[in-house]
Amino acid sequence: MLRIALAGLGTVGAAVVQGLREGADLIASRAGQSITLQAVSARDKKRERACDISGVRWVDDPRQLAELSDIDVVVELMGGDEAAALELAEAALLAGKHFVTANKKLIAEHGVKLAHSAEAHPVQLSFEAAVGGGIPLLKTLREALAGDEVEKLYGILNGTCNYILTRMHSRGIEFASALSEAQKHGYAEADSGTDIKGGDTAHKLAILVALAFGMAPDLTSIRTEGIEHITPLDLQFAHELGCRVKLLGFARRSQKGVEQWVGPALIPEISPLAQVDGALNSVLLHGRRTGDIILQGRGAGGAPTSSAILADLIDIARGFKAPAFGIPAGRLGKIKAVEPQPRRHYLRLQVNDRPGVVAEITGILRDEALSIEQLLQRGKTQNEGVPVTIILHEGEGVVVRRAVKKIEALPTILAQPNLMAIEDYQP
Ligand code: NAP
Ligand code: HSE
């Protein structure tokens, strides 16, 4: 019998408890032994739960779960990397208990230290649920692609943002209402700013990069932008250009180093990622030998995420052993960050509609040797100005951003410009 203790009984925790109860027989057959929930902890003992915890021991302080002598695995589903989650992880591994979590922030920020501890004690540190909810992304990288070398990966890694962008695009719903719907579905983090400002995607990207490239997660080298500035107008323009707007996490390695960024981007409608809607996630992995592999599925929500947690528990029950990041923690490389390769860019400006304004903008672009592929100007209003959308031919991000800063300083520019990369797709 594999005995587990669980910290956190929210969206994911409750789904895990339910999954363990409902699937007990099948899980035992697959695991080769039964998996039983011995103890639970959360903040509020009196809170009504979306799962049945009758007969399970309640522990007030989650950190005490690591000290229980009748526990083999501690599962952490509280969130954050604050004292509680980090201390529980450290104490559990130190006590020789396997540790399973869905906490991407904890793993992106402290995963290497925890992986060292897991190897020293020696137990499993598992976090399949931390990236892509129910999609077996980490297993694919660590096991199925162990014989390949991933050169590039990118995709939609945040269900909340994808849900918001989808609802804004298909129903014309305002950003705030779409976010509130995502929260009701249980997709968003306790602090939804982590989702919409791109931080959650950056945490997941850092973990994917570690497994794909064998390099320690490095959040500091990920340029991160969120979706707060995207308006229905941007989604409409993107549509007219035959594209969709998605929040992407992107990483590519070359001889020079690793390019990593998170931000909203236009992707052509022919790209398989363009059709990925709602809370779905999708990641394209490009292997040197395998070429493109696309994984897609439910990236957020209790049920899909609980499936990944249960799979980690079954692996442990089967005696599966593998380094958390695919290679021993001490052999993980250090990322040498490089600037993104040149790309086409989308730039939307809100300008004062008077003669000469477009000449001022194009003058700045000319001075930076940036060439225009398309320019669209729509409508005419006295006070709010008019939107001007420019598609730029391939240019280096750093040069494009420098030009946009100069354009933003023009007195005729009425609002913060909206700049997005265009991630072209070759089938
Ligand atoms: P949630 O619904 O907010 O639930 C969090 C649970 O942890 C609650 O039961 C809460 O207790 C408990 N908790 C929080 N801080 C605590 C503390 N300091 N001490 C004791 N208990 C504490 O969160 P969630 O959506 O289930 O997410 C849990 C984790 O899974 C997070 O790391 C998240 O990033 C990750 N994740 C979530 C999803 C998803 O779709 N939701 C998907 C993949 C990964 P009370 O209930 O008593 O307040
Ligand atoms: N808040 C996260 C999301 C949960 O929306 O994708 C899944 O990791």
Side-chain angles (χ1 to χ4, degrees), residues 7-13 41-45 47 49 58 60 62 76-80 84 101-104 129-130 133 186-190 200 299-302 305:
L9 290 167
T11 304
V12 184
S41 180
R43 267 183 304 227
D44 183 354
K45 190 177 178 181
R47 177 168 292 176
R49 302 290 168 189
W58 176 275
D60 282 331
E76 184 276 311
L77 297 171
M78 297 184 291
T101 183
N103 192 330
K104 43 270 162 136
Y187 304 148
E189 298 300 303
D200 179 78
T305 309

Side-chain angles (χ1 to χ4, degrees), residues 279-347:
L280 292 180
N281 284 189
S282 184
V283 176
L284 184 149
L285 306 168
H286 181 84
R288 201 176 133 202
R289 300 181 182 86
T290 47
D292 286 355
I293 293 175
I294 297 172
L295 291 163
Q296 182 182 323
R298 292 171 70 191
T305 309
S306 72
S307 154
I309 297 280
L310 295 174
D312 277 347
L313 291 171
I314 291 169
D315 271 350
I316 290 169
R318 285 170 170 166
F320 173 82
K321 289 186 180 70
F325 292 105
I327 58 175
R331 302 195 62 181
L332 288 165
K334 189 170 160 22
I335 285 178
K336 179 174 175 278
V338 294
E339 282 292 328
Q341 286 190 355
R343 282 186 172 73
R344 295 195 298 143
H345 285 83
Y346 163 103
L347 174 62

Side-chain angles (χ1 to χ4, degrees), residues 159-366:
T160 302
C161 289
N162 206 42
Y163 183 87
I164 292 172
L165 292 172
T166 303
R167 297 290 285 162
M168 284 171 70
H169 169 79
S170 61
R171 304 264 173 217
I173 286 173
E174 288 299 321
F175 188 97
S177 328
L179 170 60
S180 146
E181 285 181 12
Q183 286 170 318
K184 280 191 201 122
H185 287 299
Y187 304 148
E189 298 300 303
D191 167 14
S192 62
T194 314
D195 295 296
I196 61 179
K197 290 184 182 154
D200 179 78
T201 300
H203 293 141
K204 292 167 177 168
L205 182 69
I207 296 171
L208 285 177
V209 163
L211 277 128
F213 302 164
M215 294 179 184
D218 178 12
L219 289 165
T220 58
S221 65
I222 305 179
R223 168 182 284 281
T224 303
E225 285 165 20
I227 62 164
E228 319 91 290
H229 305 303
I230 308 294
T231 65
L233 196 60
D234 292 311
L235 303 182
Q236 189 192 318
F237 278 136
H239 179 65
E240 287 174 31
L241 292 160
C243 292
R244 294 285 300 273
V245 176
K246 297 288 177 188
L247 181 71
L248 294 187
F250 184 100
R252 168 165 36 207
R253 71 167 157 185
S254 64
Q255 297 283 344
K256 292 183 191 155
V258 177
E259 164 189 353
Q260 300 185 94
W261 54 267
V262 168
L266 269 71
I267 51 177
E269 277 174 355
I270 54 155
S271 162
L273 267 62
Q275 311 308 329
V276 175
D277 283 334
L280 292 180
N281 284 189
S282 184
V283 176
L284 184 149
L285 306 168
H286 181 84
R288 201 176 133 202
R289 300 181 182 86
T290 47
D292 286 355
I293 293 175
I294 297 172
L295 291 163
Q296 182 182 323
R298 292 171 70 191
T305 309
S306 72
S307 154
I309 297 280
L310 295 174
D312 277 347
L313 291 171
I314 291 169
D315 271 350
I316 290 169
R318 285 170 170 166
F320 173 82
K321 289 186 180 70
F325 292 105
I327 58 175
R331 302 195 62 181
L332 288 165
K334 189 170 160 22
I335 285 178
K336 179 174 175 278
V338 294
E339 282 292 328
Q341 286 190 355
R343 282 186 172 73
R344 295 195 298 143
H345 285 83
Y346 163 103
L347 174 62
R348 183 179 53 76
L349 304 163
Q350 195 69 8
V351 307
N352 195 341
D353 190 17
R354 63 160 182 71
V357 61
V358 169
E360 287 172 347
I361 295 164
T362 54
I364 291 174
L365 295 173
R366 177 204 56 218

